[in-house]
Amino acid sequence: MSRIYLSPPDLSGGERARLDEALSSGWIAPLGPQLDAFEAEICARVGMPYAVGLSSGTAALHLALEVLGVGRGDEVWVSTLTFAATANAVAYTGATPVFLDSEETSWNLDPRLLADALATAARDGHLPKALIAVDLYGQCADLEPIARACERYGVPLIEDAAEALGATYRGQSAGSFGTLSILSFNGNKIITTSGGGMLLARDRAHADRARFLSTQAREPARHYEHKVIGYNYRLSNLLAAVGRAQLADLDRRVEARRAINARYCRELGDLPGWTFMPEASYGRSTFWLTCATIDPAHARAGRDAVLDRLAGQDIEGRPVWKPLHLQPVFRDCRAIGGEVSERLFDHGICLPSGSSLTPDEQSRVIEAVRTA
Ligand SMILES: *Cc1c(COP(=O)(O)O)cnc(C)c1O
């Protein structure tokens, strides 16, 4: 029996042909036609006019903040229930993250909490320079009221859709709601380039600026002329070739993860104390990861006992993200609310959900959980 991972890379079969195409064209240089095509295909899929392929989702977040002029002395508000990368990018700019709690219905940023906090911040005269709203575990945040609140106070919205490519909100694609939004093609995401990311922009000027900063901020001159600090953040043409083959397979991957979620819900939903992460009525989740909470007052085995059992069967499980306001590295940062995300972390579990997970492997996971 081989180890079962949470969300391993899944080959579509088309990668080798695309890589051959890239290699035989001679474009080993970082930029090239595969990258241009990958950006255009992502734009078409997501419904954003401009895209810049980058070396990671974290780099995309960093550049999103840079093009908005975020820097020292600024506050950036961030969903607290997320991966550290979301707030690390804020720290790179010298700005301070402020963490906002989740709502129960989607586990994502609470739009009412946000609206109230923005009203207070406006009254006190220190609004955040930007908001990063995360689409968690394949499910969009409640983006309409979030975008409306941001618009009302002139706060740019960055949508962190790293975990949600392929999801929709009221029929519109994840990644199309912010002034800027970001995707990740890390190895564990729904499509992967082994490592990579993308910045999506509504304004051409933002995309142009990000492209400029991502290639060492070289001024248009014959010699190497630099007026600002740049980065080496561009996605390589070879990796973009892999990304194109993965993207062409996205719909199958979404259906595979949804089917896995449906089976877990069907075959584990009767366990006392178990509540699966709800799918909000406003959209369609990819269920990038299937998550549940285990109420220790009713369950026969608590979350950690279940994780131990999975580990004993060589199955990778994880707790839900630890809220960033609880992370030692962000100890000194302000939090607005936090009880909902803290409870989700205390009792939440993520189950293996990869699009290549076979029915037999799913049975092994279900069996291990039920035995626990
Ligand atoms: C994976 C992830 C990122 C970072 O993407 P990388 O490509 O790994 O840098 C950012 N935000 C969230 C919510 C993620 O899950």
Side-chain angles (χ1 to χ4, degrees):
M1 279 197 302
S2 55
R3 179 162 172 78
I4 296 177
Y5 292 95
L6 207 58
S7 181
D10 182 8
L11 286 173
S12 72
E15 289 83 358
R16 190 177 298 272
R18 283 287 185 213
L19 273 171
D20 279 345
E21 201 181 302
L23 287 169
S24 54
S25 77
W27 281 101
I28 310 289
L31 306 183
Q34 296 290 335
L35 181 54
D36 294 340
F38 188 35
E39 288 174 348
E41 286 160 8
I42 287 279
C43 282
R45 172 74 203 210
V46 172
M48 280 287 262
Y50 304 102
V52 184
L54 297 167
S55 53
S56 70
T58 311
L61 282 164
H62 185 191
L63 290 186
L65 295 163
E66 287 265 327
V67 302
L68 292 173
V70 172
R72 206 162 295 282
D74 293 328
E75 273 187 1
V76 175
W77 290 9
V78 180
S79 311
T80 194
L81 192 62
T82 181
F83 181 46
T86 313
N88 284 346
V90 176
Y92 299 165
T93 67
T96 306
V98 173
F99 299 111
L100 282 94
D101 202 5
S102 300
E103 57 167 357
E104 299 276 355
T105 44
S106 72
W107 292 20
N108 278 302
L109 177 70
D110 183 339
R112 280 158 299 267
L113 185 71
L114 172 70
D116 289 350
L118 283 174
T120 306
R123 211 161 42 237
D124 298 347
H126 61 256
L127 282 162
K129 189 84 174 185
L131 168 75
I132 307 177
V134 176
D135 298 329
L136 200 66
Y137 295 130
Q139 169 153 274
C140 288
D142 194 356
L143 291 160
E144 248 166 34
I146 290 171
R148 210 180 317 121
C150 284
E151 218 162 281
R152 177 162 179 196
Y153 297 102
V155 176
L157 169 63
I158 300 170
E159 184 187 357
D160 180 348
E163 300 177 5
L165 177 61
T168 58
Y169 177 88
R170 302 198 190 284
Q172 203 180 315
S173 292
S176 67
F177 288 86
T179 300
L180 294 154
S181 62
I182 75 102
L183 299 172
S184 167
F185 312 124
N186 191 33
N188 62 344
K189 298 299 180 356
I190 197 161
I191 69 167
T192 183
T193 55
S194 80
M198 210 170 276
L199 178 67
L200 307 179
R202 208 171 287 293
D203 296 344
R204 186 187 189 125
H206 284 153
D208 287 347
R209 182 73 181 168
R211 210 172 274 115
F212 168 77
L213 290 172
S214 73
T215 48
Q216 307 286 19
R218 248 189 91 187
E219 297 294 334
R222 174 176 284 174
H223 64 278
Y224 285 84
E225 177 81 5
H226 304 275
K227 296 180 182 162
V228 297
I229 298 294
Y231 306 93
N232 183 3
Y233 272 174
R234 208 66 165 111
L235 182 66
S236 108
N237 193 54
L238 286 181
L239 297 184
V242 174
R244 292 182 70 195
Q246 293 260 311
L247 180 61
D249 190 37
L250 177 59
D251 290 333
R252 182 197 63 82
R253 288 158 188 250
V254 172
E255 295 318 312
R257 289 187 192 252
R258 287 186 62 87
I260 291 165
N261 174 266
R263 182 161 174 213
Y264 284 145
C265 291
R266 208 164 49 237
E267 297 187 29
L268 296 173
D270 64 318
L271 290 175
W274 276 62
T275 308
F276 283 91
M277 177 179 177
E279 183 173 34
S281 58
Y282 55 62
R284 192 165 192 267
S285 174
T286 66
F287 292 109
W288 172 60
L289 294 184
T290 287
C291 306
T293 54
I294 307 173
D295 181 353
H298 297 100
R300 310 245 171 84
R303 191 268 315 274
D304 290 332
V306 175
L307 285 176
D308 287 344
R309 185 80 205 178
L310 291 173
Q313 302 292 308
D314 213 11
I315 297 168
E316 185 185 18
R318 294 272 173 194
V320 162
W321 296 127
K322 180 172 180 172
L324 296 184
H325 70 273
L326 299 181
Q327 293 287 359
V329 69
F330 296 120
R331 193 176 29 223
D332 298 331
C333 299
R334 194 156 64 90
I336 302 174
E339 282 164 30
V340 175
S341 58
E342 285 169 24
R343 189 188 60 79
L344 294 172
F345 169 60
D346 285 341
H347 306 316
I349 187 170
C350 305
L351 296 175
S353 307
S355 47
S356 56
L357 198 69
T358 66
D360 281 350
E361 289 172 327
Q362 294 163 33
S363 300
R364 261 177 71 195
V365 175
I366 290 162
E367 185 60 30
V369 169
R370 294 204 75 97
T371 309

